C-alpha cells in the first residue's frame, strides 16, 4: 500500500498496516497502546478486541489496585454524613481517591472503551465538583449514575443523571418549586436551570428549535425533584407539595394537569427518543471517535443506529467503529488529544505504574483541564483542536520529560527496562527511538523527532533511554491520536 504523508508518498507494508490499525484502535477506542499491546491485539484479532470492549468483563487486577483507595466505595450518604461540604481534610481524601481512581482506570484498565465512555458521559452530563454539596456527592454521581449506563441505554443514563443529587444540586433543581404563599408572602418559584440544560446540552441540542416557553414548561415538569438533606444523607426526594400541577407543553409533548413526578419522567422518555437527540448524541460521539468535524455520513449512520435500537449506546458506538471513515483516520494526520487523553496515553506509552493521581492531576490543571472541575454545564470541549495553545503545549512537554525522568509523584516508569523488554538497546539512542516508534506509533514517528532523539549523546547523569523517551513523549507526534 502507498500512502501520502505530508508532501511525500511512502510505502506501508501489510504488517505495518496491521500495526497501524491496531494502534489506531487502541488510541481511539481507548487511551493509547502500552508497549507490546498493539502486536498482541493484532495476533488475537481486531474484531475480537472490539467485541470485548463493547461487552466489558471483570478486571480483577484493576480492582486490586482500586482497593487501596479507602473512600472509593463510600455510599453517597456515607460521604455526605462524614464529610459534608466543609470538612476540608475529609474532602481532600475523597477527592484524592476519586482522581487517583480515574487515572488508574485510564492507565491500567483492561476495559478501555468503558473508561473512555465514562469520561465522555460525565463530561456530557457535567457537574462541578468544587461546588458545595457537589464535593461529597460527585464520586457517587460518576459511580452510580454514569458508570453503570456508559454503554447501556441512553434513557437509563439520562434518568440516572437527572435524579442523582449531585445533578439536582449542581443545576439548582432542588430550588425548583412551585411558587406559593406563606404567611402573606410568596416563596419558591420555578428555576429554569435544569430544564434548559436538559434540552440544550443533554438531549436535543441548542439548535433544535424549542422556545423559551418550552424551557419554562420543562422546568415545571421537574418542580419538586429535590434532596432530602444537604448535610446528612443527601438522598433524592420528590416533594409533591412543591410540584407544579398545571398542564405543560414541551417541544411537541403535551402533559395534562395533575401529573406529579411522572411529568418529569414522561419528558425524559420523550426527549430520549426524539430524532433531534439521536442526531445530537451521534454527532458528539462521532466527534469523539472520528474527528473534530465528523463526516455527515458517519453521524447519519450513528443516528440511525440510535433510533433503530431505542438509544442503545453500545450499538451507536459499534456503528461508528464499523464505518470506513473511522478506519481511514488511522492513516490521517490524527485528532489532537485533550489533556486527559495526552496524559493517559503518555503514561501507557511509558508502561508506567500509577499508585496516586494527585501529581498527575496537578499537571492536568496546568494544562487547563483539572479533573471534574469544569465550571459551566457545557463540560470541556470535545474538539481536540480547542486544546492546542502554547501554554498547554509547554506543560505537555514538561509532563513527557518528567514522566520519562521518574519525576512525577505516585508514578513509576522504567523506560530503560521497557526498551529492553521490547528488544531494543537501551544505550543506543537510535535503537531507543526506533523501539518507541514501532511500539507506540506503528513506525509512524516523524523523521524530525527520530533525528532529534538519535542525536542524544551517551554519558551524563541521565540515561540515554530516559532522555530519548522524554523527547518522544514530549514530541508533536504524541499530541495526536
Amino acid at each position: 500500500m502507498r500512502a501520502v504523508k505530508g508532501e511525500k508518498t511512502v510505502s506501508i507494508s501489510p504488517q505495518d498496516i496491521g500495526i497501524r490499525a491496531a494502534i489506531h484502535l487502541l488510541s481511539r477506542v481507548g487511551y493509547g497502546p502500552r508497549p507490546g499491546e498493539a502486536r498482541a491485539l493484532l495476533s488475537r484479532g481486531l474484531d475480537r478486541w472490539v467485541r470485548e470492549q463493547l461487552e466489558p468483563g471483570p478486571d480483577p487486577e484493576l480492582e486490586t489496585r482500586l482497593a487501596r483507595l479507602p473512600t472509593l466505595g463510600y455510599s453517597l450518604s456515607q460521604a455526605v454524613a462524614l464529610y459534608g461540604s466543609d470538612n476540608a481534610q475529609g474532602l481532600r481524601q475523597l477527592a484524592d481517591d476519586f482522581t487517583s481512581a480515574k487515572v488508574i482506570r485510564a492507565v491500567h484498565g483492561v476495559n478501555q472503551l468503558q473508561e473512555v465512555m465514562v469520561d465522555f458521559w460525565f463530561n456530557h452530563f457535567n457537574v462541578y465538583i468544587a461546588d458545595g454539596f457537589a464535593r461529597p456527592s460527585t464520586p457517587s454521581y460518576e459511580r452510580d449514575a454514569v458508570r453503570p449506563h456508559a454503554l447501556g441505554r441512553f434513557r437509563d443514563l439520562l434518568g440516572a443523571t437527572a435524579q442523582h443529587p449531585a445533578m439536582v444540586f449542581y443545576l439548582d433543581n432542588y430550588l425548583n418549586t412551585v411558587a406559593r404563599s406563606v404567611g402573606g408572602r410568596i416563596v419558591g418559584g420555578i428555576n429554569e436551570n435544569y430544564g434548559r440544560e436538559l434540552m440544550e446540552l443533554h438531549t436535543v441540542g441548542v439548535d433544535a428549535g424549542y422556545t423559551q416557553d418550552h424551557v419554562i414548561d420543562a422546568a415545571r415538569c421537574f418542580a419538586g425533584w429535590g434532596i432530602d438533606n444537604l448535610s446528612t444523607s443527601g438522598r433524592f426526594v420528590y416533594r409533591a407539595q412543591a410540584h407544579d400541577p398545571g398542564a405543560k407543553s414541551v417541544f411537541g409533548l403535551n402533559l395534562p394537569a395533575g401529573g406529579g413526578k411522572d411529568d418529569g419522567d414522561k419528558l425524559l422518555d420523550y426527549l430520549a427518543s426524539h430524532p433531534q437527540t439521536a442526531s445530537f448524541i451521534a454527532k458528539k460521539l462521532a466527534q469523539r471517535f472520528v474527528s473534530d468535524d465528523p463526516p455527515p455520513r458517519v453521524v447519519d449512520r450513528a443516528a440511525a443506529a440510535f433510533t433503530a435500537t431505542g438509544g442503545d449506546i453500545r450499538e451507536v458506538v459499534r456503528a461508528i467503529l464499523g464505518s470506513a471513515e473511522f478506519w481511514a483516520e488511522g492513516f490521517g494526520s490524527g485528532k489532537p488529544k485533550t489533556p486527559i487523553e495526552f496524559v493517559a496515553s503518555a503514561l501507557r506509552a511509558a508502561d508506567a505504574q500509577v499508585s496516586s493521581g494527585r501529581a498527575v492531576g496537578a499537571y492536568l490543571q496546568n494544562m487547563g483541564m483539572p479533573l471534574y472541575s469544569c465550571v459551566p454545564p457545557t463540560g470541556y470541549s470535545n474538539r481536540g483542536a480547542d486544546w492546542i495553545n502554547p501554554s498547554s503545549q509547554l506543560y505537555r512537554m514538561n509532563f513527557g520529560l518528567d514522566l520519562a525522568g521518574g519525576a512525577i509523584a505516585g508514578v513509576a516508569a522504567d523506560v530503560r527496562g521497557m526498551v529492553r523488554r521490547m528488544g531494543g538497546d537501551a544505550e543506543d539512542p537510535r535503537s531507543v527511538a526506533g523501539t518507541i516508534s514501532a511500539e507506540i506509533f506503528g513506525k509512524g514517528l516523524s523523521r524530525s523527532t527520530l533525528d532529534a532523539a538519535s542525536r542524544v549523546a551517551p554519558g551524563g547523569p541521565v540515561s540515554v533511554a530516559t532522555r530519548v523517551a522524554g523527547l518522544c513523549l514530549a514530541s508533536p507526534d504524541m499530541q495526536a491520536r
Side-chain angles (χ1 to χ4, degrees), residues 82-122:
L82 287 171
Y83 302 133
S85 59
D86 57 1
N87 181 333
Q89 183 176 353
L91 288 170
R92 180 60 193 243
Q93 179 69 61
L94 201 68
D96 280 352
D97 287 354
F98 188 38
T99 55
S100 290
K102 183 176 183 68
V103 177
I104 290 170
R105 284 186 169 115
V107 175
H108 296 290
V110 169
N111 300 311
Q112 285 281 286
L113 174 60
Q114 184 178 40
E115 298 312 320
V116 164
M117 293 304 293
V118 170
D119 179 75
F120 174 87
W121 288 123
F122 185 97

Side-chain angles (χ1 to χ4, degrees), residues 6-18:
E7 298 180 352
K8 296 181 180 180
T9 300
V10 296
S11 294
I12 305 177
S13 71
Q15 175 66 11
D16 287 345
I17 292 173

Side-chain angles (χ1 to χ4, degrees), residues 78-409:
Q78 275 183 293
V80 171
L82 287 171
Y83 302 133
S85 59
D86 57 1
N87 181 333
Q89 183 176 353
L91 288 170
R92 180 60 193 243
Q93 179 69 61
L94 201 68
D96 280 352
D97 287 354
F98 188 38
T99 55
S100 290
K102 183 176 183 68
V103 177
I104 290 170
R105 284 186 169 115
V107 175
H108 296 290
V110 169
N111 300 311
Q112 285 281 286
L113 174 60
Q114 184 178 40
E115 298 312 320
V116 164
M117 293 304 293
V118 170
D119 179 75
F120 174 87
W121 288 123
F122 185 97
N123 198 54
H124 181 82
F125 296 104
N126 181 58
V127 301
Y128 172 51
I129 194 172
D131 183 15
F133 174 77
R135 292 177 183 269
S137 63
T138 299
S140 164
Y141 175 69
E142 184 187 85
R143 183 191 63 222
D144 302 329
V146 178
R147 180 170 293 278
H149 309 292
L151 282 166
R153 297 271 175 185
F154 180 76
R155 172 60 180 89
D156 295 337
L157 174 61
L158 182 65
T161 59
Q163 200 161 296
H164 194 282
M167 178 65 77
V168 174
F169 177 83
Y170 173 61
L171 289 182
D172 298 324
N173 205 73
Y174 73 109
L175 303 174
N176 181 20
T177 64
V178 66
R180 60 191 187 280
S181 177
V182 177
R185 63 188 183 91
I186 302 298
V187 298
I190 297 300
N191 186 293
E192 298 176 17
N193 286 1
Y194 180 71
R196 181 179 305 281
E197 306 310 349
L198 170 66
M199 301 179 73
E200 178 177 328
L201 300 176
H202 298 172
T203 57
V204 294
V206 67
D207 298 322
Y210 56 83
T211 67
Q212 173 62 15
D213 287 341
H214 293 151
V215 169
I216 294 172
D217 274 13
R220 292 174 60 218
C221 288
F222 295 98
W225 288 40
I227 302 169
D228 64 349
N229 191 300
L230 292 175
S231 59
T232 55
S233 61
R235 296 188 184 96
F236 173 84
V237 65
Y238 170 69
R239 296 184 173 97
Q241 71 275 17
H243 187 66
D244 185 324
K248 306 166 184 72
S249 178
V250 184
F251 199 41
L253 175 66
N254 296 311
L255 295 167
K261 180 181 181 295
D262 63 356
D263 282 347
D265 292 325
K266 287 178 179 178
L267 180 57
L268 294 178
D269 289 341
Y270 176 75
L271 293 176
S273 61
H274 199 283
Q276 295 274 37
T277 298
S279 296
F280 183 65
I281 298 300
K283 184 174 182 179
K284 285 195 73 172
L285 284 168
Q287 191 176 60
R288 171 60 181 80
F289 288 109
V290 181
S291 63
D292 282 356
D293 299 299
R297 192 168 74 166
V298 177
V299 176
D300 292 344
R301 175 177 174 145
F306 187 102
T307 300
T309 63
D312 189 325
I313 298 165
R314 180 180 288 104
E315 294 307 314
V316 178
V317 174
R318 195 191 306 274
I320 293 171
L321 301 186
S323 68
E325 291 83 356
F326 170 81
W327 290 101
E329 282 290 308
F331 299 91
S333 59
K335 175 177 161 65
K337 295 175 182 176
T338 66
I340 183 60
E341 291 166 355
F342 166 75
V343 164
S345 66
L347 289 164
R348 287 174 64 82
D351 205 22
Q353 300 295 310
V354 180
S355 58
S356 169
R358 181 188 288 189
V360 173
Y363 281 91
L364 284 167
Q365 181 164 353
N366 289 335
M367 295 176 198
M369 197 180 199
L371 294 175
Y372 304 109
S373 296
C374 182
V375 178
T378 50
Y380 289 122
S381 174
N382 200 32
R383 292 174 52 85
D386 290 345
W387 294 97
I388 303 301
N389 61 75
S391 176
S392 180
Q393 292 303 99
L394 177 61
Y395 284 114
R396 291 186 188 210
M397 292 173 63
N398 289 339
F399 181 82
L401 294 168
D402 289 348
L403 171 58
I408 302 176

